[in-house]
Amino acid sequence: MHVKTGDMVLIIAGKDKGRKGKIKRSVPKEGRVVVEGLNIAKRHTKPRGPGKPGGIIEIEAPLNSSNVMLICPRCEHATRTGHRFLEETDERGRPRKVRFCKSCDAVIDK
């Protein structure tokens, strides 16, 4: 997936198109992400005991990851991303793979 938990993203499709938010959770197997405060869905629940009252609860529903675009921390624009290998190596001796911004060529991953 081109986005990870904690990334700032711009929603490019759906009812929240044009709004920005931070990724709260990502589910790579399903290709979905949950963005904080966006894509709110209402869920009607029954009371489940004294500590859990019923009613209409608002929850953040998952979005398809293709409907979000990463906001580059350096140039502050929504951009496409690419992958490249760095000269430095990880703990296993392999070259480190990082994401980079295609518009300003900055490395996004720390």
Side-chain angles (χ1 to χ4, degrees):
M1 248 179 13
H2 67 286
V3 289
K4 297 180 179 180
T5 304
D7 286 343
M8 282 298 290
V9 293
L10 173 73
I11 296 185
I12 58 173
K15 65 181 180 182
D16 289 322
K17 181 178 179 177
R19 297 180 69 191
K20 297 177 184 179
K22 193 175 193 178
I23 293 185
K24 189 176 184 179
R25 192 177 87 220
S26 65
V27 187
K29 263 189 175 172
E30 297 175 12
R32 297 179 87 67
V33 293
V34 175
V35 183
E36 285 182 2
L38 299 177
N39 198 31
I40 301 294
K42 292 181 186 260
R43 179 168 176 86
H44 297 69
T45 59
K46 291 174 78 172
R48 301 282 183 203
K52 303 229 179 177
I56 301 170
I57 298 170
E58 292 186 346
I59 58 168
E60 297 154 341
L63 289 165
N64 197 307
S65 65
S66 66
N67 292 336
V68 298
M69 224 173 166
L70 181 70
I71 296 175
C72 176
R74 181 171 155 204
C75 64
E76 301 284 325
H77 289 97
T79 183
R80 295 180 305 135
T81 58
H83 289 85
R84 69 167 57 131
F85 292 98
L86 298 179
E87 294 294 323
E88 63 186 69
T89 59
D90 62 4
E91 61 276 352
R92 293 184 181 176
R94 299 176 303 195
R96 201 163 73 102
K97 187 177 183 181
V98 294
R99 296 177 295 165
F100 71 97
C101 172
K102 289 219 175 173
S103 60
C104 71
D105 205 43
V107 173
I108 295 168
D109 297 325
K110 301 282 183 228

